[in-house]
Amino acid sequence: MNHLKGIGVAAALLLSSAMSVSAAQMVLRSSDTHPDGYPTVEAVKYMGKILEEKTNGRLGIEVFHSAQLGQEKDTIEQTQFGVIDMNRISLGPFNNIIEETKVPSLPYIFRSVEHMHKVMDGPIGQDILDAFRAHQLVGLAFYDGGSRSFYNSKKPITSMDDLKGMKFRVMQSDLFVEMVNALGGNATPMPYGEVYSSIQTGVIDGAENNWPSFESSGHYEVAGHYTLDQHLIVPEVLVMAESTWNKLSKEDQAAVVAAAKASVPYMREKWVEREARSEKKVRAAGVNIVTDIDKTPFIEAMAPVYAKFVTTPKLKDLVARIQATK
Ligand code: GTR
């Protein structure tokens, strides 16, 4: 679908005629890089149903999955311009634009998924959602993205030493470039849609992601070694274009927020199911999974990364508040 990038509205209209179109009076177009059926796609569809009910059919949502509206970095700009109404996207590609998003994207900042939920569901999460307003976006809710680990086509990684000199794709974020470099690897930022062929042709040795993405992207077909070092627990975010938001009545804005919040537990349920299913599929395909890995050297190697990116009092305060969250 990469070839559709930039065709914009015309392509979207054409595509929408081939999809299940909401009958709502105003249909919000929402972007997702993942295929139909992926937990994030299903959660935004679910939100759309709730929204349609809450607004008596004034508002609905149509999800353009599978990167039909473009790769994540490009769709951020389109959402800021209001060409796309809504976007479900990892926090990673926001790192270079919205500095607060760097904090929950720091390697090993969260001790567990439960810790991440506790933080993002509370006042710290709200502060980070509020930060989108200064960038022509309205932050609506956070979704789960599991934990991300390294996979590659070359060899099993059993310690940090094995990463030396290996080329890994990262999301388009300077933070992740530094993370891989601090671990001894070579980072190549690139759009998600280019990763499969880049591993296949040897442009890169591997990448890093969670079970559902590793599986649904088919990357496991070309990268037969997966090491569960779990360096990132990056939440995903659902945002709305500020220009779209401003067109809505106060009542409809409240309905949008309520519907987004209601989709979070639904998403988490789907996520847990999908994680298990993806893991089973990847294991059945014969991928070599390394689970026994000492994370301590990985965690220690992140000190210069924190020093480089956590520079302002605001970011330092966010880090301290996250670390103090029990
Ligand atoms: C996935 C995430 C996507 C995208 C992708 C990537 O886990 O859900 O939004 O960011 O990773 O690595 O580009």
Side-chain angles (χ1 to χ4, degrees):
M1 286 289 170
N2 208 12
H3 56 286
L4 287 177
K5 195 173 84 182
I7 298 179
V9 180
L13 287 174
L14 207 76
L15 283 162
S16 70
S17 60
M19 298 168 71
S20 62
V21 183
S22 159
Q25 287 159 28
M26 179 179 179
V27 179
L28 306 170
R29 303 184 329 126
S30 190
S31 174
D32 200 307
T33 197
H34 290 302
D36 204 16
Y38 196 92
T40 52
V41 172
E42 293 310 305
V44 179
K45 285 191 203 166
Y46 177 79
M47 173 187 166
K49 282 201 200 103
I50 294 182
L51 187 60
E52 224 166 303
E53 276 166 30
K54 276 190 193 296
T55 61
N56 294 320
R58 281 193 304 281
L59 294 179
I61 300 175
E62 186 169 349
V63 182
F64 290 83
H65 54 77
S66 311
Q68 291 172 63
L69 301 182
Q71 298 292 321
E72 290 191 337
K73 197 162 167 269
D74 304 317
T75 62
I76 289 179
E77 281 166 27
Q78 295 193 53
T79 315
Q80 286 176 310
F81 288 133
V83 177
I84 297 174
D85 299 303
M86 289 172 57
N87 210 339
R88 191 299 311 164
I89 188 165
S90 167
L91 281 182
F94 281 111
N95 292 169
N96 292 357
I97 310 168
I98 306 177
E99 68 162 9
E100 289 84 348
T101 66
K102 281 189 257 177
V103 176
S105 308
L106 285 165
Y108 297 108
I109 182 91
F110 297 115
R111 295 183 294 273
S112 62
V113 170
E114 292 70 36
H115 183 210
M116 184 274 279
H117 285 166
K118 189 92 186 286
V119 168
M120 303 312 279
D121 291 348
I124 305 175
Q126 192 55 52
D127 284 353
I128 296 170
L129 281 182
D130 292 345
F132 285 82
R133 273 319 272 270
H135 303 269
Q136 300 81 52
L137 297 167
V138 180
L140 299 176
F142 293 110
Y143 285 162
D144 278 30
S147 55
R148 298 173 73 108
S149 294
F150 289 106
Y151 49 81
N152 79 94
S153 63
K154 297 284 154 58
K155 61 178 190 209
I157 290 161
T158 57
S159 72
M160 223 177 89
D161 275 355
D162 292 329
L163 292 170
K164 276 220 173 70
M166 288 184 79
K167 228 172 168 180
F168 288 98
R169 174 268 177 176
V170 290
M171 284 184 264
Q172 286 151 299
S173 152
D174 296 343
L175 170 61
F176 300 146
V177 170
E178 290 297 325
M179 171 188 77
V180 166
N181 293 347
L183 291 169
N186 294 321
T188 307
M190 68 168 68
Y192 191 49
E194 290 171 22
V195 179
Y196 188 104
S197 62
S198 300
I199 297 177
Q200 198 173 35
T201 57
V203 171
I204 50 174
D205 298 315
E208 46 82 56
N209 224 312
N210 51 48
W211 283 109
S213 291
F214 184 40
E215 178 265 307
S216 64
S217 61
H219 295 173
Y220 72 99
E221 297 163 2
V222 287
H225 304 279
Y226 192 30
T227 294
L228 303 183
D229 63 286
Q230 303 177 316
H231 51 270
L232 295 173
I233 300 182
V234 194
E236 321 238 321
V237 67
L238 184 61
V239 298
M240 180 176 272
E242 194 175 45
S243 55
T244 303
W245 176 261
N246 289 340
K247 282 184 208 143
L248 306 179
S249 65
K250 283 271 170 294
E251 189 193 346
D252 285 353
Q253 288 176 348
V256 164
V257 172
K261 299 276 180 240
S263 72
V264 173
Y266 179 85
M267 192 279 165
R268 288 183 184 165
E269 202 183 300
K270 294 269 164 226
W271 181 259
V272 171
E273 285 166 22
R274 182 58 183 251
E275 253 187 339
R277 212 158 16 104
S278 295
E279 175 171 354
K280 205 164 156 202
K281 189 168 168 189
V282 168
R283 285 188 187 271
V287 171
N288 171 28
I289 318 285
V290 179
T291 49
D292 183 24
I293 177 119
D294 180 10
K295 290 182 199 165
T296 313
F298 286 71
I299 295 169
E300 285 169 354
M302 291 306 118
V305 178
Y306 276 58
K308 180 156 185 189
F309 290 95
V310 186
T311 45
T312 64
K314 184 167 191 190
L315 298 189
K316 284 180 185 161
D317 178 58
L318 281 171
V319 168
R321 284 164 69 201
I322 292 179
Q323 286 169 341
T325 303
K326 292 279 174 295

PDB file of all heavy atoms in Angstrom, residues 35-65:
ATOM      1  N   PRO A  35      -2.690  -4.400   9.931  1.00  0.00           N
ATOM      2  CA  PRO A  35      -3.759  -4.976   9.112  1.00  0.00           C
ATOM      3  C   PRO A  35      -5.086  -5.089   9.856  1.00  0.00           C
ATOM      4  O   PRO A  35      -5.114  -5.005  11.083  1.00  0.00           O
ATOM      5  CB  PRO A  35      -3.223  -6.382   8.791  1.00  0.00           C
ATOM      6  CG  PRO A  35      -2.256  -6.700   9.877  1.00  0.00           C
ATOM      7  CD  PRO A  35      -1.648  -5.383  10.286  1.00  0.00           C
ATOM      8  N   ASP A  36      -6.129  -5.294   9.098  1.00  0.00           N
ATOM      9  CA  ASP A  36      -7.454  -5.501   9.671  1.00  0.00           C
ATOM     10  C   ASP A  36      -7.374  -6.665  10.654  1.00  0.00           C
ATOM     11  O   ASP A  36      -6.644  -7.627  10.415  1.00  0.00           O
ATOM     12  CB  ASP A  36      -8.422  -5.841   8.528  1.00  0.00           C
ATOM     13  CG  ASP A  36      -9.857  -5.517   8.889  1.00  0.00           C
ATOM     14  OD1 ASP A  36     -10.077  -4.778   9.868  1.00  0.00           O
ATOM     15  OD2 ASP A  36     -10.755  -6.012   8.191  1.00  0.00           O
ATOM     16  N   GLY A  37      -8.088  -6.553  11.759  1.00  0.00           N
ATOM     17  CA  GLY A  37      -8.079  -7.629  12.739  1.00  0.00           C
ATOM     18  C   GLY A  37      -7.052  -7.433  13.844  1.00  0.00           C
ATOM     19  O   GLY A  37      -7.158  -8.043  14.903  1.00  0.00           O
ATOM     20  N   TYR A  38      -6.051  -6.577  13.619  1.00  0.00           N
ATOM     21  CA  TYR A  38      -5.041  -6.309  14.650  1.00  0.00           C
ATOM     22  C   TYR A  38      -5.746  -5.575  15.813  1.00  0.00           C
ATOM     23  O   TYR A  38      -6.675  -4.803  15.590  1.00  0.00           O
ATOM     24  CB  TYR A  38      -3.937  -5.436  14.039  1.00  0.00           C
ATOM     25  CG  TYR A  38      -2.644  -5.386  14.834  1.00  0.00           C
ATOM     26  CD1 TYR A  38      -1.613  -6.281  14.573  1.00  0.00           C
ATOM     27  CD2 TYR A  38      -2.448  -4.438  15.836  1.00  0.00           C
ATOM     28  CE1 TYR A  38      -0.413  -6.238  15.290  1.00  0.00           C
ATOM     29  CE2 TYR A  38      -1.261  -4.380  16.558  1.00  0.00           C
ATOM     30  CZ  TYR A  38      -0.244  -5.284  16.276  1.00  0.00           C
ATOM     31  OH  TYR A  38       0.941  -5.231  16.986  1.00  0.00           O
ATOM     32  N   PRO A  39      -5.306  -5.810  17.067  1.00  0.00           N
ATOM     33  CA  PRO A  39      -6.019  -5.230  18.209  1.00  0.00           C
ATOM     34  C   PRO A  39      -6.248  -3.713  18.134  1.00  0.00           C
ATOM     35  O   PRO A  39      -7.313  -3.237  18.540  1.00  0.00           O
ATOM     36  CB  PRO A  39      -5.125  -5.577  19.400  1.00  0.00           C
ATOM     37  CG  PRO A  39      -4.402  -6.815  18.978  1.00  0.00           C
ATOM     38  CD  PRO A  39      -4.220  -6.715  17.493  1.00  0.00           C
ATOM     39  N   THR A  40      -5.279  -2.963  17.633  1.00  0.00           N
ATOM     40  CA  THR A  40      -5.466  -1.504  17.575  1.00  0.00           C
ATOM     41  C   THR A  40      -6.563  -1.138  16.568  1.00  0.00           C
ATOM     42  O   THR A  40      -7.377  -0.255  16.811  1.00  0.00           O
ATOM     43  CB  THR A  40      -4.162  -0.798  17.161  1.00  0.00           C
ATOM     44  OG1 THR A  40      -3.673  -1.410  15.949  1.00  0.00           O
ATOM     45  CG2 THR A  40      -3.098  -0.920  18.238  1.00  0.00           C
ATOM     46  N   VAL A  41      -6.575  -1.844  15.438  1.00  0.00           N
ATOM     47  CA  VAL A  41      -7.580  -1.584  14.391  1.00  0.00           C
ATOM     48  C   VAL A  41      -8.966  -1.912  14.938  1.00  0.00           C
ATOM     49  O   VAL A  41      -9.924  -1.134  14.790  1.00  0.00           O
ATOM     50  CB  VAL A  41      -7.275  -2.428  13.128  1.00  0.00           C
ATOM     51  CG1 VAL A  41      -8.401  -2.320  12.106  1.00  0.00           C
ATOM     52  CG2 VAL A  41      -5.938  -2.007  12.513  1.00  0.00           C
ATOM     53  N   GLU A  42      -9.077  -3.062  15.597  1.00  0.00           N
ATOM     54  CA  GLU A  42     -10.362  -3.485  16.153  1.00  0.00           C
ATOM     55  C   GLU A  42     -10.834  -2.525  17.242  1.00  0.00           C
ATOM     56  O   GLU A  42     -12.024  -2.253  17.371  1.00  0.00           O
ATOM     57  CB  GLU A  42     -10.256  -4.911  16.694  1.00  0.00           C
ATOM     58  CG  GLU A  42     -10.035  -5.952  15.600  1.00  0.00           C
ATOM     59  CD  GLU A  42     -11.024  -5.823  14.447  1.00  0.00           C
ATOM     60  OE1 GLU A  42     -12.245  -5.842  14.688  1.00  0.00           O
ATOM     61  OE2 GLU A  42     -10.566  -5.668  13.290  1.00  0.00           O
ATOM     62  N   ALA A  43      -9.892  -2.011  18.037  1.00  0.00           N
ATOM     63  CA  ALA A  43     -10.265  -1.110  19.127  1.00  0.00           C
ATOM     64  C   ALA A  43     -10.826   0.208  18.590  1.00  0.00           C
ATOM     65  O   ALA A  43     -11.802   0.746  19.130  1.00  0.00           O
ATOM     66  CB  ALA A  43      -9.067  -0.843  20.027  1.00  0.00           C
ATOM     67  N   VAL A  44     -10.241   0.736  17.521  1.00  0.00           N
ATOM     68  CA  VAL A  44     -10.745   2.006  16.975  1.00  0.00           C
ATOM     69  C   VAL A  44     -12.111   1.779  16.298  1.00  0.00           C
ATOM     70  O   VAL A  44     -12.997   2.625  16.380  1.00  0.00           O
ATOM     71  CB  VAL A  44      -9.715   2.677  16.033  1.00  0.00           C
ATOM     72  CG1 VAL A  44     -10.270   3.973  15.463  1.00  0.00           C
ATOM     73  CG2 VAL A  44      -8.402   2.940  16.776  1.00  0.00           C
ATOM     74  N   LYS A  45     -12.280   0.618  15.684  1.00  0.00           N
ATOM     75  CA  LYS A  45     -13.604   0.297  15.124  1.00  0.00           C
ATOM     76  C   LYS A  45     -14.657   0.243  16.239  1.00  0.00           C
ATOM     77  O   LYS A  45     -15.769   0.731  16.090  1.00  0.00           O
ATOM     78  CB  LYS A  45     -13.571  -1.068  14.433  1.00  0.00           C
ATOM     79  CG  LYS A  45     -12.878  -1.105  13.094  1.00  0.00           C
ATOM     80  CD  LYS A  45     -13.214  -2.465  12.493  1.00  0.00           C
ATOM     81  CE  LYS A  45     -12.225  -2.898  11.462  1.00  0.00           C
ATOM     82  NZ  LYS A  45     -12.356  -4.325  11.139  1.00  0.00           N
ATOM     83  N   TYR A  46     -14.247  -0.377  17.346  1.00  0.00           N
ATOM     84  CA  TYR A  46     -15.138  -0.500  18.509  1.00  0.00           C
ATOM     85  C   TYR A  46     -15.485   0.898  19.034  1.00  0.00           C
ATOM     86  O   TYR A  46     -16.643   1.203  19.332  1.00  0.00           O
ATOM     87  CB  TYR A  46     -14.417  -1.328  19.572  1.00  0.00           C
ATOM     88  CG  TYR A  46     -15.145  -1.495  20.873  1.00  0.00           C
ATOM     89  CD1 TYR A  46     -16.175  -2.421  21.010  1.00  0.00           C
ATOM     90  CD2 TYR A  46     -14.798  -0.724  21.992  1.00  0.00           C
ATOM     91  CE1 TYR A  46     -16.840  -2.578  22.226  1.00  0.00           C
ATOM     92  CE2 TYR A  46     -15.454  -0.872  23.205  1.00  0.00           C
ATOM     93  CZ  TYR A  46     -16.472  -1.802  23.314  1.00  0.00           C
ATOM     94  OH  TYR A  46     -17.122  -1.948  24.518  1.00  0.00           O
ATOM     95  N   MET A  47     -14.479   1.747  19.110  1.00  0.00           N
ATOM     96  CA  MET A  47     -14.713   3.124  19.539  1.00  0.00           C
ATOM     97  C   MET A  47     -15.735   3.804  18.624  1.00  0.00           C
ATOM     98  O   MET A  47     -16.614   4.542  19.071  1.00  0.00           O
ATOM     99  CB  MET A  47     -13.389   3.905  19.517  1.00  0.00           C
ATOM    100  CG  MET A  47     -13.564   5.376  19.794  1.00  0.00           C
ATOM    101  SD  MET A  47     -12.053   6.316  19.564  1.00  0.00           S
ATOM    102  CE  MET A  47     -12.736   7.981  19.542  1.00  0.00           C
ATOM    103  N   GLY A  48     -15.613   3.529  17.329  1.00  0.00           N
ATOM    104  CA  GLY A  48     -16.521   4.123  16.344  1.00  0.00           C
ATOM    105  C   GLY A  48     -17.975   3.727  16.599  1.00  0.00           C
ATOM    106  O   GLY A  48     -18.884   4.565  16.508  1.00  0.00           O
ATOM    107  N   LYS A  49     -18.168   2.472  16.939  1.00  0.00           N
ATOM    108  CA  LYS A  49     -19.537   1.997  17.227  1.00  0.00           C
ATOM    109  C   LYS A  49     -20.109   2.726  18.437  1.00  0.00           C
ATOM    110  O   LYS A  49     -21.251   3.188  18.426  1.00  0.00           O
ATOM    111  CB  LYS A  49     -19.503   0.486  17.523  1.00  0.00           C
ATOM    112  CG  LYS A  49     -19.396  -0.372  16.285  1.00  0.00           C
ATOM    113  CD  LYS A  49     -19.891  -1.794  16.594  1.00  0.00           C
ATOM    114  CE  LYS A  49     -19.354  -2.758  15.565  1.00  0.00           C
ATOM    115  NZ  LYS A  49     -18.227  -3.567  16.064  1.00  0.00           N
ATOM    116  N   ILE A  50     -19.282   2.831  19.475  1.00  0.00           N
ATOM    117  CA  ILE A  50     -19.743   3.509  20.695  1.00  0.00           C
ATOM    118  C   ILE A  50     -20.052   4.973  20.403  1.00  0.00           C
ATOM    119  O   ILE A  50     -21.064   5.520  20.830  1.00  0.00           O
ATOM    120  CB  ILE A  50     -18.670   3.394  21.801  1.00  0.00           C
ATOM    121  CG1 ILE A  50     -18.536   1.929  22.201  1.00  0.00           C
ATOM    122  CG2 ILE A  50     -19.006   4.257  22.996  1.00  0.00           C
ATOM    123  CD1 ILE A  50     -17.550   1.693  23.299  1.00  0.00           C
ATOM    124  N   LEU A  51     -19.185   5.578  19.621  1.00  0.00           N
ATOM    125  CA  LEU A  51     -19.346   6.996  19.295  1.00  0.00           C
ATOM    126  C   LEU A  51     -20.646   7.235  18.518  1.00  0.00           C
ATOM    127  O   LEU A  51     -21.377   8.194  18.782  1.00  0.00           O
ATOM    128  CB  LEU A  51     -18.129   7.460  18.474  1.00  0.00           C
ATOM    129  CG  LEU A  51     -18.022   8.938  18.183  1.00  0.00           C
ATOM    130  CD1 LEU A  51     -17.945   9.753  19.475  1.00  0.00           C
ATOM    131  CD2 LEU A  51     -16.768   9.217  17.332  1.00  0.00           C
ATOM    132  N   GLU A  52     -20.918   6.345  17.593  1.00  0.00           N
ATOM    133  CA  GLU A  52     -22.131   6.477  16.786  1.00  0.00           C
ATOM    134  C   GLU A  52     -23.378   6.387  17.678  1.00  0.00           C
ATOM    135  O   GLU A  52     -24.322   7.161  17.510  1.00  0.00           O
ATOM    136  CB  GLU A  52     -22.142   5.361  15.727  1.00  0.00           C
ATOM    137  CG  GLU A  52     -22.544   5.893  14.376  1.00  0.00           C
ATOM    138  CD  GLU A  52     -22.251   4.924  13.246  1.00  0.00           C
ATOM    139  OE1 GLU A  52     -21.081   4.527  13.084  1.00  0.00           O
ATOM    140  OE2 GLU A  52     -23.207   4.586  12.524  1.00  0.00           O
ATOM    141  N   GLU A  53     -23.319   5.459  18.630  1.00  0.00           N
ATOM    142  CA  GLU A  53     -24.449   5.317  19.567  1.00  0.00           C
ATOM    143  C   GLU A  53     -24.593   6.561  20.431  1.00  0.00           C
ATOM    144  O   GLU A  53     -25.668   7.141  20.545  1.00  0.00           O
ATOM    145  CB  GLU A  53     -24.192   4.126  20.500  1.00  0.00           C
ATOM    146  CG  GLU A  53     -24.596   2.796  19.903  1.00  0.00           C
ATOM    147  CD  GLU A  53     -24.013   1.633  20.715  1.00  0.00           C
ATOM    148  OE1 GLU A  53     -23.816   1.797  21.956  1.00  0.00           O
ATOM    149  OE2 GLU A  53     -23.738   0.593  20.100  1.00  0.00           O
ATOM    150  N   LYS A  54     -23.481   6.987  21.013  1.00  0.00           N
ATOM    151  CA  LYS A  54     -23.498   8.124  21.938  1.00  0.00           C
ATOM    152  C   LYS A  54     -23.974   9.407  21.279  1.00  0.00           C
ATOM    153  O   LYS A  54     -24.504  10.288  21.953  1.00  0.00           O
ATOM    154  CB  LYS A  54     -22.082   8.361  22.498  1.00  0.00           C
ATOM    155  CG  LYS A  54     -21.719   7.498  23.681  1.00  0.00           C
ATOM    156  CD  LYS A  54     -20.397   8.007  24.269  1.00  0.00           C
ATOM    157  CE  LYS A  54     -19.770   7.059  25.253  1.00  0.00           C
ATOM    158  NZ  LYS A  54     -20.547   6.825  26.471  1.00  0.00           N
ATOM    159  N   THR A  55     -23.682   9.545  19.987  1.00  0.00           N
ATOM    160  CA  THR A  55     -24.018  10.812  19.317  1.00  0.00           C
ATOM    161  C   THR A  55     -25.259  10.662  18.439  1.00  0.00           C
ATOM    162  O   THR A  55     -25.517  11.531  17.584  1.00  0.00           O
ATOM    163  CB  THR A  55     -22.838  11.309  18.447  1.00  0.00           C
ATOM    164  OG1 THR A  55     -22.569  10.308  17.433  1.00  0.00           O
ATOM    165  CG2 THR A  55     -21.585  11.567  19.256  1.00  0.00           C
ATOM    166  N   ASN A  56     -25.988   9.599  18.622  1.00  0.00           N
ATOM    167  CA  ASN A  56     -27.180   9.342  17.787  1.00  0.00           C
ATOM    168  C   ASN A  56     -26.875   9.443  16.303  1.00  0.00           C
ATOM    169  O   ASN A  56     -27.630  10.054  15.540  1.00  0.00           O
ATOM    170  CB  ASN A  56     -28.317  10.317  18.140  1.00  0.00           C
ATOM    171  CG  ASN A  56     -28.812  10.077  19.554  1.00  0.00           C
ATOM    172  OD1 ASN A  56     -28.924   8.927  19.981  1.00  0.00           O
ATOM    173  ND2 ASN A  56     -29.055  11.146  20.287  1.00  0.00           N
ATOM    174  N   GLY A  57     -25.744   8.905  15.918  1.00  0.00           N
ATOM    175  CA  GLY A  57     -25.394   8.857  14.505  1.00  0.00           C
ATOM    176  C   GLY A  57     -24.789  10.138  13.947  1.00  0.00           C
ATOM    177  O   GLY A  57     -24.575  10.265  12.747  1.00  0.00           O
ATOM    178  N   ARG A  58     -24.478  11.094  14.811  1.00  0.00           N
ATOM    179  CA  ARG A  58     -23.824  12.318  14.283  1.00  0.00           C
ATOM    180  C   ARG A  58     -22.382  12.025  13.887  1.00  0.00           C
ATOM    181  O   ARG A  58     -21.872  12.550  12.914  1.00  0.00           O
ATOM    182  CB  ARG A  58     -23.844  13.429  15.345  1.00  0.00           C
ATOM    183  CG  ARG A  58     -25.150  14.152  15.487  1.00  0.00           C
ATOM    184  CD  ARG A  58     -25.001  15.423  16.327  1.00  0.00           C
ATOM    185  NE  ARG A  58     -24.446  15.192  17.650  1.00  0.00           N
ATOM    186  CZ  ARG A  58     -25.139  14.730  18.683  1.00  0.00           C
ATOM    187  NH1 ARG A  58     -26.428  14.440  18.535  1.00  0.00           N
ATOM    188  NH2 ARG A  58     -24.569  14.551  19.856  1.00  0.00           N
ATOM    189  N   LEU A  59     -21.709  11.182  14.692  1.00  0.00           N
ATOM    190  CA  LEU A  59     -20.284  10.903  14.428  1.00  0.00           C
ATOM    191  C   LEU A  59     -20.024   9.413  14.301  1.00  0.00           C
ATOM    192  O   LEU A  59     -20.574   8.610  15.058  1.00  0.00           O
ATOM    193  CB  LEU A  59     -19.422  11.415  15.589  1.00  0.00           C
ATOM    194  CG  LEU A  59     -19.341  12.899  15.847  1.00  0.00           C
ATOM    195  CD1 LEU A  59     -18.459  13.148  17.065  1.00  0.00           C
ATOM    196  CD2 LEU A  59     -18.762  13.624  14.638  1.00  0.00           C
ATOM    197  N   GLY A  60     -19.163   9.065  13.367  1.00  0.00           N
ATOM    198  CA  GLY A  60     -18.716   7.685  13.223  1.00  0.00           C
ATOM    199  C   GLY A  60     -17.240   7.687  12.854  1.00  0.00           C
ATOM    200  O   GLY A  60     -16.642   8.749  12.655  1.00  0.00           O
ATOM    201  N   ILE A  61     -16.656   6.498  12.791  1.00  0.00           N
ATOM    202  CA  ILE A  61     -15.226   6.399  12.445  1.00  0.00           C
ATOM    203  C   ILE A  61     -15.040   5.351  11.367  1.00  0.00           C
ATOM    204  O   ILE A  61     -15.674   4.295  11.400  1.00  0.00           O
ATOM    205  CB  ILE A  61     -14.380   5.987  13.678  1.00  0.00           C
ATOM    206  CG1 ILE A  61     -14.525   7.012  14.806  1.00  0.00           C
ATOM    207  CG2 ILE A  61     -12.907   5.824  13.301  1.00  0.00           C
ATOM    208  CD1 ILE A  61     -13.820   6.613  16.108  1.00  0.00           C
ATOM    209  N   GLU A  62     -14.167   5.645  10.439  1.00  0.00           N
ATOM    210  CA  GLU A  62     -13.765   4.631   9.474  1.00  0.00           C
ATOM    211  C   GLU A  62     -12.260   4.430   9.603  1.00  0.00           C
ATOM    212  O   GLU A  62     -11.487   5.390   9.519  1.00  0.00           O
ATOM    213  CB  GLU A  62     -14.111   5.106   8.065  1.00  0.00           C
ATOM    214  CG  GLU A  62     -13.851   4.033   7.050  1.00  0.00           C
ATOM    215  CD  GLU A  62     -14.429   4.392   5.695  1.00  0.00           C
ATOM    216  OE1 GLU A  62     -15.205   5.361   5.607  1.00  0.00           O
ATOM    217  OE2 GLU A  62     -14.060   3.720   4.744  1.00  0.00           O
ATOM    218  N   VAL A  63     -11.864   3.189   9.845  1.00  0.00           N
ATOM    219  CA  VAL A  63     -10.440   2.912  10.043  1.00  0.00           C
ATOM    220  C   VAL A  63      -9.802   2.518   8.710  1.00  0.00           C
ATOM    221  O   VAL A  63     -10.246   1.576   8.053  1.00  0.00           O
ATOM    222  CB  VAL A  63     -10.223   1.779  11.073  1.00  0.00           C
ATOM    223  CG1 VAL A  63      -8.727   1.541  11.289  1.00  0.00           C
ATOM    224  CG2 VAL A  63     -10.899   2.111  12.395  1.00  0.00           C
ATOM    225  N   PHE A  64      -8.783   3.242   8.333  1.00  0.00           N
ATOM    226  CA  PHE A  64      -7.988   2.890   7.147  1.00  0.00           C
ATOM    227  C   PHE A  64      -6.760   2.148   7.652  1.00  0.00           C
ATOM    228  O   PHE A  64      -5.786   2.748   8.084  1.00  0.00           O
ATOM    229  CB  PHE A  64      -7.608   4.150   6.371  1.00  0.00           C
ATOM    230  CG  PHE A  64      -8.789   4.774   5.700  1.00  0.00           C
ATOM    231  CD1 PHE A  64      -9.642   5.620   6.392  1.00  0.00           C
ATOM    232  CD2 PHE A  64      -9.079   4.484   4.379  1.00  0.00           C
ATOM    233  CE1 PHE A  64     -10.758   6.171   5.790  1.00  0.00           C
ATOM    234  CE2 PHE A  64     -10.195   5.024   3.762  1.00  0.00           C
ATOM    235  CZ  PHE A  64     -11.042   5.868   4.461  1.00  0.00           C
ATOM    236  N   HIS A  65      -6.858   0.819   7.639  1.00  0.00           N
ATOM    237  CA  HIS A  65      -5.797  -0.009   8.201  1.00  0.00           C
ATOM    238  C   HIS A  65      -4.700  -0.259   7.155  1.00  0.00           C
ATOM    239  O   HIS A  65      -4.771   0.259   6.037  1.00  0.00           O
ATOM    240  CB  HIS A  65      -6.399  -1.331   8.700  1.00  0.00           C
ATOM    241  CG  HIS A  65      -7.194  -2.053   7.667  1.00  0.00           C
ATOM    242  ND1 HIS A  65      -6.605  -2.764   6.660  1.00  0.00           N
ATOM    243  CD2 HIS A  65      -8.538  -2.139   7.468  1.00  0.00           C
ATOM    244  CE1 HIS A  65      -7.544  -3.275   5.883  1.00  0.00           C
ATOM    245  NE2 HIS A  65      -8.725  -2.904   6.345  1.00  0.00           N
TER     246      HIS A  65
END
